[in-house]
Amino acid sequence: MTSISKPFNGTIFHTHHSSSFPHQFRQHLHSHSITLRHKSIKISAHAVPPLPQNHTVVGFGMTTVDFLATVDGYPKPDDKVRTTSSKVQGGGNAGNALTCAARLGLKPKLISKVADDAQGKSILEELEADCVDTSFIVVSKGGSSTFSYVLVDTQTKTRTSIYTPGDPPLVPDDLSQSMLLSAFDGARLVYFDGMSTETALFVGREAARNNIPILVEAESPREGLDELLTLAEFVVCSARFPQAWTQSPSIPSALVSMLLRLPNIKFVIVTLGEDGCLMLERSANEDVGLEERNVESFLELLYKEKDERLAIPTCISSVVTKFRVNGLGTVCGRFFIGTAEKIPDSELIDTTGAGDAFIGAIMYGKCSH
């Protein structure tokens, strides 16, 4: 199997495909131009929109060293298992996502923190080798850089991550206003991985004051994330987050609830692993004459348009509709179902970094829009 050199915790890049895009995520890049009703659109990797001259993005969040161990099966309590392979490489949500962005042709700058230890040096060297601007990463004297242990299960093609936060953590006093203004210079988008929310809010408020669109990744509810989400125009969340955050009975109703609670959001995407993703885009014009539909029954019908025989990514979209969630209200918008490419088991290595690669593709899509 071919592989991009210097992999940064992103086995999603180990593919045979000629396109440089993370293969299961290409469908989003064209989603804003699709207006057909209940129509499945095949996505061509050769129809990728070109980047404008200014394609700088800023990321804030975690960058780590990952110690990956591949095993034939996840161990039970008190088990001793032998690894089939092991490697040490860069990781972390923000580090991975910006590495993907750089490989797609963007110019990413990363705001993060490492220590002046061997792991911190390795993190910086690997990011710089992938053309990620590390000049805004704070390097502490003493302390320890963030690191993770990652178990890769070859049977289930999944990974389990245990991370140890760096010390001392990144705090607002580490970042001067002049440093942030320099980082934001020319930026089309600022991405937050949802970690270190106190400092993320400090950075996010400065980005908002400078009218830079904000993308927030939401993996799980945590203190400070709610306020960060109020600053966001775009949200990408894990499969478990929408219902956990809104206490809604289903993902579709949870997405409507998120748009009701967060009026600044233009779209929210939930990633669904091998099932692709689901996106709800808010409509700028709320036509009072629009048909009002129950969101759950509407999505049931839309999902019936999926063609399970297709191995390539597709996008199924609705027209603008007024979606109703009983007891909460209505939102005008469009749903997009993005299917994932069906990858043969013989080609699939594992899912390490897959969600981060998705974020990188979203950043590319926003910069090219």
Side-chain angles (χ1 to χ4, degrees):
M1 306 179 86
T2 57
S3 167
I4 292 179
S5 61
K6 301 183 189 297
F8 194 89
N9 194 5
T11 51
I12 199 69
F13 292 106
H14 294 250
T15 74
H16 291 296
H17 299 276
S18 59
S19 170
S20 62
F21 286 87
H23 39 270
Q24 62 264 61
F25 307 137
R26 295 184 209 128
Q27 67 273 17
H28 170 70
L29 301 181
H30 305 285
S31 63
H32 292 288
S33 65
I34 297 171
T35 57
L36 301 178
R37 183 183 182 90
H38 293 191
K39 185 76 176 282
S40 176
I41 309 299
K42 298 178 183 179
I43 304 301
S44 169
H46 302 291
V48 174
L51 284 171
Q53 272 194 327
N54 176 18
H55 46 272
T56 299
V57 294
V58 176
F60 174 94
M62 184 170 62
T63 184
T64 73
V65 168
D66 282 355
F67 298 89
L68 291 98
T70 302
V71 294
D72 287 331
Y74 191 82
K76 297 177 181 178
D78 273 345
D79 269 0
K80 289 184 179 180
V81 297
R82 184 185 294 271
T83 61
T84 58
S85 68
S86 63
K87 64 176 69 175
V88 180
Q89 60 188 35
N93 295 34
N96 286 345
L98 292 196
T99 296
C100 175
R103 293 180 182 183
L104 295 178
L106 302 183
K107 295 180 179 178
K109 306 174 184 178
L110 177 58
I111 301 172
S112 189
K113 188 172 187 176
V114 298
D116 60 353
D117 54 6
Q119 293 174 355
K121 182 181 178 182
S122 174
I123 289 169
L124 295 175
E125 288 176 348
E126 198 165 352
L127 288 167
E128 289 162 3
D130 268 307
C131 299
V132 176
D133 186 342
T134 63
S135 60
F136 303 98
I137 294 180
V138 177
V139 181
S140 66
K141 294 183 178 180
S144 59
S145 300
T146 303
F147 65 92
S148 298
Y149 297 113
V150 182
L151 279 180
V152 179
D153 186 337
T154 58
Q155 288 187 5
T156 61
K157 308 294 185 182
T158 58
R159 57 93 181 103
T160 301
S161 180
I162 306 169
Y163 90 98
T164 301
D167 184 64
L170 182 63
V171 296
D173 287 344
D174 289 328
L175 307 171
S176 66
Q177 186 180 38
S178 61
M179 176 184 176
L180 292 180
L181 291 176
S182 180
F184 294 154
D185 184 36
R188 296 283 304 273
L189 183 76
V190 180
Y191 152 68
F192 294 86
D193 68 1
M195 308 290 186
S196 305
T197 50
E198 179 188 359
T199 310
L201 277 169
F202 174 75
V203 177
R205 292 186 186 114
E206 191 62 38
R209 278 194 289 269
N210 285 273
N211 299 312
I212 305 172
I214 291 173
L215 165 67
V216 172
E217 177 183 4
E219 287 189 321
S220 57
R222 55 171 50 91
E223 185 178 356
L225 182 58
D226 288 18
E227 192 171 352
L228 186 61
L229 287 170
T230 64
L231 301 176
E233 290 188 23
F234 318 107
V235 177
V236 177
C237 47
S238 67
R240 62 182 177 272
F241 179 82
Q243 288 177 268
W245 193 67
T246 64
Q247 301 300 306
S248 298
S250 68
I251 289 177
S253 62
L255 297 187
V256 172
S257 179
M258 288 181 69
L259 263 60
L260 287 169
R261 290 175 59 177
L262 302 167
N264 289 334
I265 287 184
K266 293 182 178 178
F267 69 65
V268 57
I269 300 174
V270 56
T271 58
L272 302 170
E274 64 181 0
D275 292 323
C277 63
L278 179 65
M279 170 178 168
L280 176 58
E281 178 186 49
R282 189 191 303 272
S283 173
N285 300 315
E286 295 206 8
D287 188 342
V288 293
L290 283 176
E291 181 183 7
E292 187 175 307
R293 300 287 298 274
N294 176 275
V295 66
E296 293 178 358
S297 58
F298 183 89
L299 259 292
E300 284 182 13
L301 291 174
L302 194 61
Y303 266 106
K304 289 181 180 179
E305 299 298 316
K306 284 180 63 175
D307 188 344
E308 299 294 346
R309 298 168 298 175
L310 293 175
I312 64 173
T314 59
C315 181
I316 304 166
S317 68
S318 72
V319 295
V320 174
T321 304
K322 184 179 289 186
F323 297 109
R324 180 183 72 252
V325 174
N326 294 332
L328 289 178
T330 60
V331 165
C332 290
R334 292 192 292 171
F335 270 104
F336 297 86
I337 297 171
T339 68
E341 183 168 343
K342 294 181 180 178
I343 306 169
D345 285 345
S346 60
E347 294 184 27
L348 179 62
I349 298 176
D350 65 76
T351 61
T352 309
D356 305 326
F358 186 95
I359 296 285
I362 297 297
M363 287 191 276
Y364 185 99
K366 289 309 302 174
C367 286
S368 61
H369 180 63

